[in-house]
Amino acid sequence: MTRYNYFIQEGSKFHLKSKFSTALLRSLICLGIAAGLYFLLPPEKKIGAIGAGFFILFGLINLLRSTKKLTIDTAAQTIVHKNNVLSPEVTYRFDEFVQFYVLTSSYLFKAITMDSTAFLIFDQNGREKRVPVVVGLFSARPAQNAVNELSEIMGIELA
């Protein structure tokens, strides 16, 4: 049995590992920054309250992102994706799969990689559907490693 870094295997199903601890840490950092902005800036300057509101929003978004679910069922040849607790589940079939895609954002003339995201691209009734899988900060390697694991699980050879 192969050990995967990004997936947990249960029979013929592979579940994307949840990064709740990372999301909780990022949320707490955002809430700490919000508290700092609110209490350290003078009340007559409304920028402290506005900035605190934004960081509270960022903290809640981080927690919401930790509820993502992605299940690959190799026996049924399906992928079930739920982006967060507020969105519905969507089922994709392996035969609708088009390609893997890694999107990388760079800074300073492509010298510094800021983030990268691995996507599964599906064609459902002539419409392109992008399913985000993994986001990596400061390197494209985590996204590429996730794509390598996905291709192995799905039985697709990378060119």
Side-chain angles (χ1 to χ4, degrees):
M1 187 164 98
T2 306
R3 273 188 74 91
Y4 296 104
N5 291 329
Y6 297 97
F7 294 92
I8 298 169
Q9 183 176 4
E10 291 178 1
S12 67
K13 292 186 178 184
F14 296 84
H15 304 282
L16 184 66
K17 289 181 182 177
S18 151
K19 301 283 186 179
F20 185 74
S21 59
T22 305
L24 183 62
L25 178 66
R26 286 189 308 221
S27 295
L28 290 174
I29 289 170
C30 285
L31 291 177
I33 292 171
L37 287 173
Y38 186 77
F39 291 115
L40 294 177
L41 293 177
E44 58 270 3
K45 293 189 177 187
K46 298 200 186 318
I47 192 70
I50 293 170
F54 278 123
F55 275 99
I56 288 172
L57 181 66
F58 293 149
L60 293 174
I61 289 171
N62 270 309
L63 285 179
L64 188 62
R65 296 287 297 157
S66 71
T67 61
K68 175 185 182 64
K69 293 191 185 331
L70 182 77
T71 303
I72 302 169
D73 188 346
T74 55
Q77 299 280 301
T78 60
I79 296 174
V80 178
H81 175 250
K82 184 174 175 120
N83 205 31
N84 57 50
V85 75
L86 302 176
S87 64
E89 282 188 353
V90 180
T91 302
Y92 301 98
R93 295 187 321 272
F94 280 18
D95 60 354
E96 296 173 332
F97 174 76
V98 176
Q99 68 180 7
F100 297 108
Y101 183 68
V102 176
L103 176 66
T104 303
S105 299
S106 299
Y107 183 67
L108 289 176
F109 307 107
K110 298 191 178 199
I112 301 171
T113 300
M114 295 305 294
D115 69 346
S116 60
T117 306
F119 290 96
L120 291 165
I121 309 293
F122 293 96
D123 182 13
Q124 279 193 328
N125 302 324
R127 299 180 83 189
E128 181 181 281
K129 303 290 183 173
R130 292 182 181 195
V131 177
V133 180
V134 173
V135 176
L137 296 175
F138 307 116
S139 174
R141 185 160 305 277
Q144 186 60 51
N145 290 342
V147 165
N148 293 342
E149 286 186 11
L150 279 167
S151 68
E152 184 177 329
I153 290 168
M154 293 173 68
I156 298 171
E157 289 188 32
L158 295 176

